[in-house]
Amino acid sequence: TNWRLLYTPPSTGALNMAVDESILEHIHRGEALPTLRLYSWDPPCLSLGHAQSFADVDMERVKAHGWEVVRRLTGGRAILHTDELTYSVTGSAEDPILSGSILESYNRLAQALLFAVRELGLPVEMKEHSPSGPAGEPATLNLNPVCFEVPSTYEITVDGKKLIGSAQARKKEGVLQHGSLPLTGDLTRICEALVFKDEAARENAAQRLLARATTVSTVLNTSVESVISVETDWETAAQAFVKGFEAQLGIHFQRGELSRSESERAEELVKEKYANPTWTERS
């Protein structure tokens, strides 16, 4: 199977989300190959799930940190994108890798992600939870605005802590799945971006998050008895992802660029949608 591989430069949240959607439209029109895109965010950005209320966001704190807020095309809850490798997979729903139900395609892609993280030297496993609430998550935790709190079906975990969070949208144009691998830094920063009833609740959420989610450097540093901090850089992580998709899914990658048409459409989508308050600030 021939796919296109894109490495795109660090971008704003609005542009990152617009590029993913633009690629999806171009694939639907037969103007682009199925695509694995690897990217990062500058400045750090809080992304909200498609249906999440904007009221979850503490805009005053977000602005004080110099962060941005964007709303994704995919569901799920808030994620703070910083110090991470983000991937997006875009293709037709007929593509053998993406065909079937959300769970079937999610599971296939999870095999590639699992390979990638093992390639980075992490003792990962895949959690198969039984779906019990919306989107396969325990119904009791659906009040939680933070995405990384609850490992859902086929999450990539280390010692029961979530490492990669992914979300998928299946549209008439095709399938878009994207997700984040936190490389380093303090995961609890997201609690600064969300509304809590008081500081004790914020602190409590931060502690729960650390108990349930982790980063690549945290895992490597706990498994290596050494004084030197082990950091995996973006480039190394990106190579591991490419290797995982090739090895597990039999994909042959052609390194490419966004076409002029894709870039122009992405710019339009930034203005019309992703940088537009009517899209982002829905309650």
Side-chain angles (χ1 to χ4, degrees):
T1 315
N2 285 333
W3 281 40
R4 173 175 61 162
L5 174 64
L6 291 179
Y7 280 30
T8 50
S11 303
T12 63
L15 184 57
N16 272 333
M17 295 300 90
V19 167
D20 278 350
E21 186 170 346
S22 173
I23 293 171
L24 185 62
E25 290 179 1
H26 282 75
I27 289 173
H28 178 59
R29 293 203 299 268
E31 293 169 19
L33 284 171
T35 299
L36 170 66
R37 173 176 166 243
L38 300 171
Y39 57 99
S40 61
W41 308 63
D42 186 31
C45 181
L46 182 77
S47 79
L48 299 175
H50 185 272
Q52 188 170 13
S53 170
F54 188 72
D56 284 346
V57 183
D58 189 328
M59 268 323 283
E60 207 173 303
R61 284 177 186 252
V62 166
K63 286 187 173 135
H65 282 288
W67 299 339
E68 294 179 343
V69 180
V70 73
R71 182 178 295 280
R72 302 189 299 272
L73 197 58
T74 50
R77 299 186 191 71
I79 299 178
L80 181 66
H81 302 276
T82 172
D83 309 321
E84 69 175 43
L85 169 79
T86 313
Y87 78 90
S88 69
V89 166
T90 322
S92 145
E94 276 73 67
D95 187 291
I97 290 165
L98 301 173
S99 64
S101 67
I102 288 198
L103 276 186
E104 287 168 326
S105 50
Y106 207 79
N107 182 21
R108 279 182 221 118
L109 295 172
Q111 304 298 335
L113 302 175
L114 208 54
F115 185 103
V117 184
R118 287 192 177 132
E119 187 69 17
L120 296 171
L122 279 67
V124 285
E125 57 209 351
M126 192 155 74
K127 272 276 176 286
E128 296 196 26
H129 286 253
S130 56
S132 49
E137 292 181 355
T140 46
L141 287 162
N142 277 332
L143 296 170
N144 198 320
V146 181
C147 180
F148 266 71
E149 272 260 316
V150 197
S152 54
T153 318
Y154 302 132
E155 290 295 355
I156 308 292
T157 61
V158 178
D159 293 334
K161 293 185 179 188
K162 183 162 168 176
L163 184 64
I164 299 185
S166 301
Q168 189 184 106
R170 296 181 87 83
K171 305 262 169 216
K172 62 178 192 307
E173 296 83 11
V175 179
L176 164 66
Q177 178 170 312
H178 47 200
S180 322
L181 172 67
L183 298 172
T184 177
D186 174 10
L187 281 180
T188 66
R189 286 173 291 188
I190 186 169
C191 297
E192 286 289 307
L194 299 167
V195 171
F196 290 93
K197 67 174 192 298
D198 54 33
E199 286 313 299
R202 188 183 306 278
E203 182 51 37
N204 183 11
Q207 292 313 314
R208 280 206 316 271
L209 186 57
L210 287 180
R212 291 181 181 167
T214 191
T215 67
V216 172
S217 63
T218 303
V219 176
L220 290 178
N221 287 314
T222 42
S223 59
V224 180
E225 297 304 313
S226 97
V227 201
I228 12 172
S229 157
V230 184
E231 295 293 337
T232 297
D233 65 350
W234 189 94
E235 193 63 42
T236 310
Q239 284 164 1
F241 267 63
V242 172
K243 219 166 169 178
F245 276 76
E246 288 174 336
Q248 291 299 108
L249 302 173
I251 291 172
H252 174 71
F253 282 116
Q254 301 171 2
R255 185 78 183 261
E257 301 292 329
L258 284 174
S259 66
R260 174 188 278 181
S261 169
E262 283 172 319
S263 299
E264 285 169 358
R265 177 60 181 142
E267 293 296 343
E268 274 175 21
L269 283 163
V270 167
K271 290 190 195 73
E272 289 168 15
K273 188 172 188 176
Y274 292 104
N276 191 320
T278 53
W279 166 259
T280 310
E281 298 177 15
R282 296 202 308 257
S283 55

